[in-house]
Amino acid sequence: MPSKSVARAVIEYHGLMSSHISLQAEVPEELSGNRLDQIAAKLFPEYSRGRLQSWIKEGALLVNSKQLRPRDRLQTGDSLLVEAELASIEYWVAQQMDLDIVFEDEHLLIINKAADVVVHPAVGHQDGTLLNGLLYHCPGLKELPRAGIVHRLDKDTTGLMVVAKSLIAHTSLVNQLQAREMSREYEAIVHGVLTGGGTINKPLGRHAVNRKKRAIVEMGQEAVTHYRVKKRFRAHTHVDVKLETGRTHQIRVHMAYLKHTIVGDQMYGGRLQLPAACSAELSECLRNFKRQALHARRLALVHPLDQAAMSWEIERPQDMNELITRLENDV
């Protein structure tokens, strides 16, 4: 479990931290006639399309020493030159933290996140976050968008996260997420007995009153959650969940929509629900379960460099195992 201490490292990142990028390439015959932004994406695949378009518009990416538009078409032999600054635009502090690292190479970092860990600094959580610990572990992350974090887990959700350690990896992982090619599988304990699995396809947006919450809203972002029953108990269900999209609080809101809120969910679960005539042991366990019983069990993706299919799976944390044992004994 990550340390509760927030001992500061020697390095702090104040304001703009930048590094110079210098790139050069010529248009090959097979790309002749295509748009500048399309050609740049092919010739410099380690950078995102959005970043390349920004460089074109800023004049940091020139063609034959001239500034062109992203839609302008190029010919064989045209010369592309990039001279740009890659900047980190936020203030972050590198802090020593115990990280549960499942896998690491020069491009990827797979973390098993513990409960009670905020992923990214925000109002009320300026330090002591996973991002702060990642910067201490790998200082080069300061040059990547959000320090290489391409997706998040809620503060009290446990399990697997992937972090990009290079621009090549960042671009690839973002593309995989957008194309829904990255597989993220969870398991949860919910209130009530589900009769079967299914798919929830309900758009999500900000709650109309509580801006910290999400809700199903007609004009919200598309959100698709697949779920299936893993095991039924007397008054609860153990479910496997697979995300097709990855919206904030998606699983928690979708399960609440089904009227099967996640055990321990302080935001969407409402009042404590105790089964009728449950044992003292189960009652105590449910009363003391103060986080959502949600765990990111499995992660699968394609390696950004060699395109190899990779996957990882991590065991449930002890508190969920204890809850399941109590539910199994509640007969």
Side-chain angles (χ1 to χ4, degrees):
M1 178 177 290
S3 169
K4 294 291 184 182
S5 67
V6 290
R8 298 195 172 204
V10 175
I11 296 178
E12 295 186 356
Y13 305 116
H14 298 268
L16 288 171
M17 300 290 295
S18 62
S19 59
H20 189 75
I21 301 295
S22 183
L23 305 168
Q24 190 169 4
E26 286 191 357
V27 178
E29 184 176 353
E30 62 268 22
L31 295 180
S32 181
N34 288 320
R35 291 166 49 116
L36 168 56
D37 55 355
Q38 295 171 334
I39 291 174
K42 293 287 187 181
L43 296 180
F44 309 123
E46 63 269 35
Y47 301 96
S48 69
R49 180 73 64 89
R51 186 184 296 276
L52 291 168
Q53 288 180 333
S54 295
W55 286 345
I56 293 169
K57 294 173 183 177
E58 295 166 2
L61 193 164
L62 302 177
V63 179
N64 301 327
S65 302
K66 297 179 181 179
Q67 183 175 356
L68 300 182
R69 298 167 298 182
R71 68 174 182 268
D72 288 337
R73 299 188 180 274
L74 307 187
Q75 303 300 318
T76 302
D78 284 341
S79 177
L80 279 66
L81 177 65
V82 176
E83 296 290 345
E85 296 296 323
L86 194 62
S88 170
I89 58 174
E90 298 184 66
Y91 168 84
W92 294 321
V93 179
Q95 296 173 309
Q96 188 170 12
M97 179 183 293
D98 293 332
L99 300 176
D100 186 355
I101 298 173
V102 177
F103 172 85
E104 182 174 15
D105 65 10
E106 61 179 325
H107 295 285
L108 299 177
L109 184 61
I110 308 297
I111 299 290
N112 178 26
K113 190 186 87 66
D116 198 31
V117 176
V118 175
V119 170
H120 192 280
V123 177
H125 296 282
Q126 292 299 326
D127 58 14
T129 70
L130 179 62
L131 182 146
N132 301 116
L134 289 170
L135 284 174
Y136 186 89
H137 175 74
C138 184
L141 292 176
K142 69 182 184 293
E143 295 182 356
L144 298 179
R146 296 191 178 277
I149 295 172
V150 295
H151 71 118
R152 304 189 194 187
L153 295 178
D154 294 338
K155 172 176 176 285
D156 287 323
T157 298
T158 58
L160 294 171
M161 281 183 58
V162 59
V163 177
K165 291 181 62 181
S166 66
L167 275 172
I168 292 175
H170 188 273
T171 301
S172 174
L173 294 175
V174 168
N175 289 340
Q176 289 182 56
L177 283 166
Q178 291 176 345
R180 304 181 184 181
E181 295 170 347
M182 187 184 297
S183 177
R184 290 164 292 164
E185 299 178 22
Y186 296 70
E187 54 184 289
I189 310 298
V190 302
H191 291 286
V193 180
L194 282 162
T195 57
T199 295
I200 310 166
N201 187 347
K202 294 290 181 180
L204 298 182
R206 285 193 181 274
H207 193 281
V209 178
N210 186 339
R211 308 303 285 174
K212 293 182 178 181
K213 296 178 68 174
R214 295 299 188 271
I216 292 173
V217 295
E218 184 177 352
M219 300 302 292
Q221 294 178 303
E222 181 187 16
V224 182
T225 304
H226 306 284
Y227 66 96
R228 68 179 181 85
V229 173
K230 192 177 184 73
K231 187 170 184 178
R232 297 180 184 89
F233 304 106
R234 185 168 68 90
H236 296 81
T237 309
H238 187 184
V239 294
D240 285 329
V241 183
K242 187 172 183 179
L243 289 179
E244 189 170 319
T245 56
R247 310 305 180 194
T248 302
H249 299 177
Q250 178 173 321
I251 297 174
R252 298 164 67 188
V253 176
H254 274 175
M255 296 314 295
Y257 166 77
L258 291 182
K259 310 298 184 186
H260 291 279
T261 56
I262 298 177
V263 169
D265 194 330
Q266 304 297 302
M267 184 171 287
Y268 300 101
R271 297 176 61 182
L272 176 66
Q273 303 176 48
L274 294 176
C278 71
S279 66
E281 291 80 8
L282 177 57
S283 175
E284 181 182 10
C285 185
L286 290 171
R287 290 180 186 278
N288 293 328
F289 210 98
K290 300 298 185 181
R291 72 172 187 92
Q292 60 270 10
L294 181 62
H295 176 64
R297 183 190 70 241
R298 187 175 185 275
L299 177 69
L301 52 83
V302 173
H303 194 280
L305 198 65
D306 60 16
Q307 303 302 301
M310 306 183 75
S311 65
W312 300 267
E313 194 160 340
I314 202 76
E315 288 294 322
R316 291 184 300 270
Q318 181 58 36
D319 61 349
M320 282 186 68
N321 284 332
E322 181 180 347
L323 174 59
I324 290 171
T325 298
R326 299 300 184 196
L327 292 172
E328 288 175 335
N329 293 334
D330 180 51
V331 294

